[in-house]
């Protein structure tokens, strides 16, 4: 499972004439594929802090988009941070965008691959010798990935959990499914109980096959072994927890539970912000429209919250 060999490759694609900013396509060459992203430097004339954005679940590219949901959340966040003097790294997740890695089968994929990939990107940033601080922003599922990648890693200076769930994956799936369709509980609960024991389930109802198909069960089982509220306790760096009030995927209660687990963390609750960090109403259908509107700006205050936290590291 561990990656045995890699080399770092950087190729310049665009240069901004505004101030001293540049944006590069960057890649990590693996022995069985490639990981790719975009590194944007806020000011080439001095050391700047850099934020590494780790995306959530699903086939997210470096802009924070999936084939059926293009919000441009991470691209917009990056642009906003750059305008405030904070450099950014945003990447295509493994098997998304231009990050293509040979896999024997879907059954071989585990959660730890994402953690290992993130550690490689952290190593990449440290080798640049051009950043004053390396800060991880873990968005949604990326929150747990970032927590695990930052553990016992002296290259990471701070961590930001953005809309990060506080519970194990099967616990959160229960909440989401049973809240929307309580009638599924009778048929689903035996499946959940078996998967939580690390056991595979061969017979899955057709309408749930996309989520629980046998080939993806090893990934879910490997993910469920991690409890974010326990893993965050293992960090010894400054932490900020950011959560929007109109996020119907992750709740304010999740943020509060992470804060309880790591009392020294800064808790930032942003009124009216949803899961893709845009202003949205609580109404689910209207809220979801923001997931497919790449031109809609991100919440106006999230950048300020992040920048203030990053600048506090300099004191």
């Amino acid at each position: 499972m561990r990656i045995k060999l890699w080399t770092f490759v950087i190729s310049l694609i665009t240069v901004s004439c505004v101030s001293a900013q540049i944006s590069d396509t960057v890649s990590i060459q693996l022995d069985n594929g490639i990981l790719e992203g975009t590194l944007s430097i806020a000011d080439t004339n001095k050391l700047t802090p850099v934020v590494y954005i780790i995306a959530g679940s699903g086939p997210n590219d470096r802009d924070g988009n999936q084939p059926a949901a293009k919000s441009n959340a991470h691209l917009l966040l990056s642009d906003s941070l750059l305008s405030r003097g904070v450099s950014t790294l945003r990447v295509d997740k493994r098997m998304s965008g231009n990050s293509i890695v040979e896999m024997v089968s879907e059954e071989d994929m585990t959660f730890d691959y994402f953690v290992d990939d993130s550690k490689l990107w952290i190593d990449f940033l440290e080798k640049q010798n051009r950043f004053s601080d390396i800060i991880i922003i873990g968005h949604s599922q990326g929150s747990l990935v970032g927590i695990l990648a930052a553990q016992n890693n002296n290259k990471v200076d701070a961590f930001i959990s953005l809309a990060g769930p506080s519970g194990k994956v099967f616990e959160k799936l229960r909440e989401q499914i049973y809240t929307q369709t309580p009638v599924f509980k009778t048929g689903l609960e035996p499946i959940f109980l078996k998967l939580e024991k690390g056991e595979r389930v061969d017979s899955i109802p057709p309408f749930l096959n996309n989520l629980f198909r046998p080939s993806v069960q090893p990934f879910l089982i490997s993910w469920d072994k991690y409890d974010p509220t326990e893993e965050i306790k293992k960090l010894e760096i400054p932490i900020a927890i950011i959560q929007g009030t109109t996020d119907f995927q992750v709740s304010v209660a999740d943020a509060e539970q992470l804060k309880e687990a790591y009392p020294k963390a800064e808790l930032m609750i942003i009124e009216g912000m949803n899961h893709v960090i845009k202003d949205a109403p609580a109404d689910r259908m209207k809220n979801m429209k923001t997931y497919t509107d790449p031109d809609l700006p991100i919440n106006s205050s999230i950048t300020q919250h992040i920048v203030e936290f990053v600048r506090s590291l300099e004191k």
Side-chain angles (χ1 to χ4, degrees), residues 26-287:
V26 294
S27 60
I28 297 176
Q29 187 68 49
L30 310 175
D31 56 356
N32 60 344
I34 191 171
L35 303 175
E36 190 177 289
T38 297
L39 177 64
S40 299
I41 310 298
D43 191 340
T44 59
N45 296 320
K46 63 180 182 180
L47 295 178
T48 61
V50 62
V51 163
Y52 163 36
I53 303 171
I54 303 177
S57 58
N60 285 285
D61 65 17
R62 70 194 73 184
D63 294 337
N65 296 333
Q66 299 186 20
K70 300 183 184 297
S71 68
N72 271 352
H74 295 169
L75 173 61
L76 294 169
L77 179 59
S78 173
D79 288 345
S80 185
L81 289 169
L82 284 168
S83 70
R84 300 293 301 275
V86 178
S87 300
T88 66
L89 171 67
R90 48 194 175 84
V91 306
D92 296 336
K93 284 180 66 177
R94 176 180 287 247
M95 308 311 296
S96 303
N98 291 333
S99 292
I100 304 301
V101 181
E102 292 182 12
M103 300 293 293
V104 176
S105 69
E106 186 176 56
E107 290 181 305
D108 294 321
M109 186 66 183
T110 69
F111 190 81
D112 294 308
Y113 274 113
F114 293 136
V115 179
D116 288 340
D117 290 348
S118 293
K119 290 178 181 178
L120 292 180
W121 282 118
I122 293 166
D123 290 343
F124 165 82
L125 289 174
E126 194 269 339
K127 290 177 184 293
Q128 301 307 300
N129 294 317
R130 66 193 311 171
F131 303 116
S132 57
D133 293 291
I134 296 175
I135 302 100
I136 293 175
I137 291 183
H139 187 192
S140 192
Q141 179 201 70
S143 174
L144 177 56
V145 173
I147 289 171
L148 296 172
Q151 288 175 359
N152 303 311
N153 194 331
N154 59 13
K155 299 167 187 174
V156 179
D157 297 289
F159 172 72
I160 298 172
S161 174
L162 175 57
S166 62
K168 301 174 80 169
V169 63
F170 291 136
E171 174 188 332
K172 302 311 294 183
L173 285 174
R174 275 189 179 95
E175 289 179 10
Q176 292 180 12
I177 295 173
Y178 295 168
T179 298
Q180 297 174 43
T181 48
V183 69
F184 285 175
K185 184 173 183 178
T186 300
L188 259 182
E189 194 58 23
I191 295 175
F192 275 126
L193 291 174
K194 197 167 184 179
L195 290 173
E196 284 176 325
K197 294 177 182 178
E199 301 173 5
R200 304 276 290 274
V201 182
D202 295 326
S203 180
I204 299 293
F207 62 93
L208 291 172
N209 193 59
N210 187 52
L211 182 59
F212 294 109
R213 61 189 179 277
S215 61
V216 81
Q217 289 176 24
F219 177 81
L220 293 172
I221 291 169
S222 70
W223 182 0
D224 192 63
K225 71 181 181 180
Y226 296 115
D227 183 341
T229 56
E230 293 301 319
E231 298 301 331
I232 199 171
K233 295 175 183 178
K234 301 175 185 178
L235 297 182
E236 297 180 349
I237 52 177
I239 293 176
I241 300 167
I242 302 178
Q243 180 62 46
T245 62
T246 55
D247 182 341
F248 62 81
Q249 292 182 244
V250 179
S251 69
V252 171
D254 283 285
E256 292 172 338
Q257 287 162 10
L258 288 175
K259 164 70 173 177
E260 183 179 353
Y262 198 96
K264 292 186 293 183
E266 293 186 39
L267 179 60
M268 308 170 186
I269 305 300
I270 300 181
E271 193 67 34
M273 186 180 78
N274 72 355
H275 197 68
V276 291
I277 62 175
K278 298 191 176 187
D279 293 321
D283 178 86
R284 186 181 181 88
M285 294 304 296
K286 293 179 180 178
N287 194 308

